[in-house]
Structures are given as C-alpha cells and as structure tokens.
Amino acid sequence: MGLLTPALLAASIAIAVPVWLHLTRRPPKERQPFPSLMFLGESPLNATRRRSIRDPLLLALRVLAMVLLVAAFSRPFLAPGAGGAGADGGVREIALLFDRSYSMAAGDRMDAGKAAARRVFSELREGDRLTLVAFDDAAQVLGPATRDVDVLRAALDSIRPGEGGTSYAGALRLAESVLSASPGPRREVVIVSDFAAGRTLADPEVLLPPGTRVRLLPATTDPLDDLTTEDVSLRRSGFAAGERIHVVARIANLGARAVSERAVSLTLDGARVGVETVSLKPGASTAVEFPPFSVASGAAAGHVRVGPDDLAMNDARFFVAEPRRAVAVMIVEPDGSGPRRGLHLRRALELARSPTFTLRRRTDRSLRGEDLAGLDLLILDGVPFPAGETGARLSAFVEAGGGLIAAAGDRSGGRIPELADGLLPAGSARSVARAEGGSLGRVEYGHPIFSAFRDPGSGDLGAPRVDRYRRLSEEGMRVLARFDDGSPALLEADLGLGRSLVWATTLGDAWTDLPLQPVYLPFVHRLLLHAAGW
C-alpha cells in the first residue's frame, strides 16, 4: 500500500480540533435569574470540567471522521506486487498497460519492462483473462483478452520503443472500457512503465470500475537523465548593414536528476557557431540566447542541441533562418464588391510585423492565371474556385508549394470543379443559419494555427458568435476545428508541396462577429502563415 500524495498526511493535525472542542468548557445553555450579589464573597472557579471529556463516543466518531478525510485526500494505492494472484478468490480480468514511449529506449528499460510483464503472465490462473495494451501518446490494444501465455508473449515481443511521449490517459481509458465490459468478479490494472518524471497518472475523465486493483511495475529504478530542446525561436534586430538574427532556445530537464554546466550548442550550415551552458533541477526549464548572426542571402539551416544524455532523440531542434521578406498575398473578392468588403482582413494584414504582408486584390471575374506569379498565398474570400485555365493554374500553383485559403460567403457554394479535387471539400456546401447563434467547439490545439491559444488566458476561441456557415464534407480533408454542433469549421488538405485551408464561415463580419473579437488578429495571422508554409 502506498500514497500518491503523502504530504497531505500533515493535515492529520486537524484531529486535535475535536479533542480541543471536547476539552473546552462550553457556556451554560440557560441563564438562571438571581438577586443582587453585592453581599456574596468571591469564590474560585472550578475548572475541573474544562479537562474532562463528557462524550467519549462522540469524540471518537469525530476523530475517526478526520482520519478518514485525511486518508482519502492522501489517495492510497496498492504498491507494486500487492494483491498478486490468489489474494482473494475468483477469476480476474486484467488490463496490462505497457509503456512504449521514447523514454523506454534508455538503458535496459525495455528489457526490464518486458521481464516484469512476463512475470504477470506467469501468474495467470484458470479462467483469468489478460488484455495487453501498448501506449505512448496514443494507446493500442494488441489483441483480444486471453490467458494463452504464448500469444501474450508474442504480442509483447513485438513492442518496440517509439518516438512518442508518455500519456497514461489514453491507456487508462482503454483499460476502463475493457474492465467495464467484463462480467468477472475481480478486475485489475497493471501498468509497466519507467514512470518518467513530469508525467502523472491522474485523469479526472477516467473512472475505473469499483474495486479495481491497480499495480505499478517500474521498468527500472535508475533515474533518467533527459534534457530536451523544447523550442527554438528567432528574433530579428536591425543594424547599419542589414539585420541580425537572435536564436533563443528553451531547454527543459525532463529527467529525475539535476544537471550542472551541461553544454547547449548552436550549429549553422554544419559549423558550430556558439556554445552556452545550463544547470537545471528536475522539471525546470530555462531560455538560452546565443550571440546574433547575419544571413546575407538564401537560407541557413541550423539546429540547437543539448546533451549528451540518456535520450538523444529529443536533444536537438532544427530551424531554417532566411533574410526577412514579406508574404505575398492576393485576395479574390466577388465582382462588384465595395471598399468595405474585406476591410477587417486587410487591416489585420496591415498590422502584421514579423513577417509583413504585401497585398493585392482581384475580383473573381478579373482573376487570371498570370496573377499567381510571385504569390505565396491566394485567398478566395467568398467566391467559388475558378474554372478553366485559371483553375488549372491555381491547382498547379498549390502543388508547387503555394497556399490557398477558401472562406465561405454568399457566392462560395455550389459543386466544386474537378480542377479543385483534393483542395476543397467534395460536393455542394449548403448554407446553414443559426438563429440562436453558434460558436467554435472542438479545436485541435496541437496544430500550429491554434497552438498559441492553448494556454489559459491566451484567447477564447469559443467567444465569437457564428450566425451562419456552410456545411462542408470531411471526405479527404483533415478537420482542425468544429462548431459546437459538430459541423466542420476549418479543414486542411495537402497537394504536392502546398496546402489548402477551408473556413466554413466568413473572414469578415457578414456571418460572424469574429473580426470584432480579440482573437481575430492572431488567428488570421497564424492561419495565413500556415497556409503559405511560412
């Protein structure tokens, strides 16, 4: 038996509260009228009852309540090896969760983990069933529940360390599903992992069946030495001859050991140009800035690397630095649009600073194939995909590395031409009005467009009201965001070296108040930069 939060045992001092209450004399419940006391002398107060306990049974119950409350908050669990086979009668339904994350590649963790899993296999008795689940960022069931040790060993031998991180949530949800469907009297979860620092087993969305026994089998007792280059950002500053690029890297200690004076290097085009050192406690991170450099022409490929350590896979972060240039964008609007059309979008692009945007405008009737020369991105703002030669050249433009954004509008519906196959959703996209108003629901915060809004206080994407949108087909597209009714809001598709993004409502304020919300500016900038492959 162990405790997940043993520090909360300090709260057991609260047991003194009911004891203090019982030892403290309480005032009388009733007042007795009495004549004048002027002729009576003073007498000492008998404080004997202050030290006596009148209701020992009530005191015991109150103390017991405090003990149980403290024990519950300390979150007890069964330690490794507790409750082995035969601890109590009945067949068992076992979900064995095996960690295959990248940290299991360090040292002999994978071999030790498999040895621990095989010991669990040897404990199986008549009637027991075991489901083997391998997990890293995602979880996978490696076959149906069985007690056939040969089948289980073959599945276990197929597991190899992957490139994903450690996430127990998906594996525990699979275990919850497997155990909930079992009619057996005993249920058990066995987790084989190195339990790397910074990972937690707690997940409020997972509710294992009552009485489920949990066993933790560590794959190693050696602490992990793991520094990682979490992120690299490039800042630019001007000087007399041009501009300089400052590389800032964030280094984190994901291991269980403190590190001192560990080297962090910056390499450009194969040559090491800077070395700094970091000292970090477990779970800590810090920013490392290297001396600035200049890129005269073309692009410089570089990387920041920390190490060496037990896991070389996450030591380096790669980047490309090139001289600053503006992103060339063309907006195609419906013929006859007034000056107010696209005002919010144009103002958002004018406010961009790193990088800046150069903007050209065309109408859907005046757009020609030669207009695509020199562009990074084309935006179809409420107009259909062009037909004929212009549409063919637009498809070739995206395939060669250009970007396309198609936003909904009154004239954007209808069946798309074959020229747009693979760029836009198939079929017609009918307009849907939301009288009560809708909003963005599910968003893929791991995607580059939305990653800036992941942290609390970074912008509420659910705040904008959506009164109208087009119901799009998901076939052949990746859904990056959905409305609160489940309909796709933002879809993405790749074609050759380029990509297209389809926004199911307007980029202006005709169908939504998104342009009036604080998230509009960063959302539009990240949308356009991602579409342009920036």
Side-chain angles (χ1 to χ4, degrees):
M1 177 72 74
L3 298 173
L4 286 180
T5 52
L8 284 178
L9 288 178
S12 58
I13 193 174
I15 295 172
V17 173
V19 177
W20 178 81
L21 291 174
H22 277 256
L23 291 178
T24 302
R25 186 179 65 182
R26 291 169 292 180
K29 295 182 180 179
E30 297 181 358
R31 291 183 176 274
Q32 181 65 39
F34 199 80
S36 174
L37 302 179
M38 62 182 297
F39 298 108
L40 298 179
E42 294 183 1
S43 61
L45 178 65
N46 186 356
T48 303
R49 294 178 61 186
R50 185 184 297 271
R51 297 185 300 274
S52 65
I53 297 177
R54 297 177 57 187
D55 300 300
L57 180 59
L58 179 59
L59 173 62
L61 291 175
R62 288 174 172 172
V63 171
L64 178 61
M66 287 290 183
V67 171
L68 293 177
L69 190 62
V70 171
F73 277 99
S74 299
R75 302 176 68 186
F77 67 92
L78 290 177
D88 51 13
V91 298
R92 296 178 297 165
E93 187 74 39
I94 304 172
L96 193 153
L97 314 182
F98 193 92
D99 186 356
R100 63 178 179 190
S101 63
Y102 72 92
S103 64
M104 291 290 287
D108 62 347
R109 283 170 164 76
M110 182 58 68
D111 293 337
K114 289 185 176 181
R118 293 188 188 99
R119 289 194 295 271
V120 177
F121 298 164
S122 66
E123 297 174 357
L124 296 177
R125 300 177 300 167
E126 187 68 30
D128 290 349
R129 300 197 313 168
L130 187 143
T131 302
L132 182 60
V133 177
F135 71 94
D136 43 26
D137 288 328
Q140 175 187 8
V141 176
L142 302 182
T146 181
R147 69 173 302 272
D148 190 326
V149 175
D150 292 334
V151 172
L152 292 171
R153 285 178 175 170
L156 180 68
D157 292 340
S158 68
I159 299 177
R160 298 289 184 271
E163 298 180 358
T166 305
S167 174
Y168 299 103
L172 288 171
R173 278 192 287 269
L174 270 182
E176 176 188 4
S177 175
V178 168
L179 298 181
S180 298
S182 171
R186 297 176 56 202
R187 299 175 178 89
E188 188 172 339
V189 174
V190 181
I191 304 178
V192 180
S193 172
D194 61 347
F195 301 104
R199 307 295 187 266
T200 176
L201 287 170
D203 188 339
E205 297 183 2
V206 176
L207 189 62
L208 297 175
T212 300
R213 180 171 294 166
V214 179
R215 299 171 60 188
L216 308 180
L217 300 183
T220 181
T221 57
D222 295 332
L224 186 67
D225 182 13
D226 182 23
L227 288 183
T228 179
T229 305
E230 282 191 327
D231 185 43
V232 171
S233 60
L234 306 181
R235 293 192 296 104
R236 299 173 186 267
S237 61
F239 72 111
E243 68 173 7
R244 294 185 181 275
I245 297 178
H246 303 252
V247 176
V248 181
R250 177 154 292 278
I251 309 299
N253 185 358
L254 303 182
R257 298 174 178 171
V259 298
S260 177
E261 300 297 318
R262 191 67 59 90
V264 184
S265 61
L266 170 63
T267 301
L268 287 174
D269 290 334
R272 181 175 292 187
V273 297
V275 178
E276 304 291 335
T277 59
V278 295
S279 299
L280 289 171
K281 296 179 179 179
S285 64
T286 188
V288 176
E289 183 170 353
F290 294 92
F293 60 91
S294 300
V295 178
S297 62
H303 66 267
V304 175
R305 183 180 299 276
V306 63
D309 55 23
D310 291 339
L311 291 172
M313 186 183 304
N314 61 356
D315 288 350
R317 179 75 67 166
F318 296 82
F319 64 90
V320 174
E322 58 184 356
R324 187 197 307 268
R325 72 176 183 87
V327 183
V329 180
M330 177 178 286
I331 301 177
V332 182
E333 301 169 342
D335 188 55
S337 299
R340 191 180 181 282
R341 172 79 189 199
L343 176 63
H344 296 95
L345 181 58
R346 297 198 306 272
R347 286 294 296 143
L349 301 189
E350 292 170 2
L351 293 171
R353 291 293 177 266
S354 182
T356 57
F357 294 89
T358 59
L359 181 61
R360 287 184 282 167
R361 298 172 67 190
R362 292 287 187 275
T363 65
D364 53 345
R365 292 187 179 181
S366 65
L367 180 65
R368 299 291 182 268
E370 52 269 23
D371 294 331
L372 302 175
L375 286 184
D376 295 304
L377 174 65
L378 181 78
I379 301 176
L380 300 177
D381 189 11
V383 299
F385 193 90
E389 180 187 354
T390 303
R393 295 187 65 169
L394 177 54
S395 294
F397 163 76
V398 176
E399 192 168 3
L404 171 67
I405 294 177
D410 289 330
R411 294 175 51 182
S412 63
R415 186 168 296 276
I416 67 167
E418 293 183 0
L419 297 169
D421 186 27
L423 290 176
L424 302 181
S428 60
R430 66 182 180 88
S431 174
V432 177
R434 297 283 298 274
E436 74 286 0
S439 63
L440 281 181
R442 178 184 172 189
V443 173
E444 295 295 337
Y445 285 103
H447 192 274
I449 294 176
F450 297 113
S451 60
F453 307 100
R454 178 168 45 197
D455 297 329
S458 57
D460 184 5
L461 290 172
R465 174 190 171 100
V466 179
D467 296 319
R468 192 175 173 190
Y469 64 86
R470 292 199 176 272
R471 196 177 296 278
L472 304 173
S473 169
E474 304 178 23
E475 183 179 356
M477 309 288 288
R478 293 188 298 275
V479 180
L480 306 183
R482 295 182 183 273
F483 295 117
D484 54 358
D485 63 355
S487 300
L490 182 63
L491 300 102
E492 180 182 29
D494 296 326
L495 181 64
L497 300 176
R499 62 171 61 97
S500 68
L501 290 128
V502 184
W503 178 238
T505 187
T506 57
L507 287 172
D509 60 356
W511 292 3
T512 174
D513 68 352
L514 173 62
L516 309 181
Q517 301 292 334
V519 295
Y520 181 71
L521 193 67
F523 168 70
V524 166
H525 286 173
R526 297 180 76 88
L527 177 70
L528 269 62
L529 292 177
H530 178 71
W534 205 257

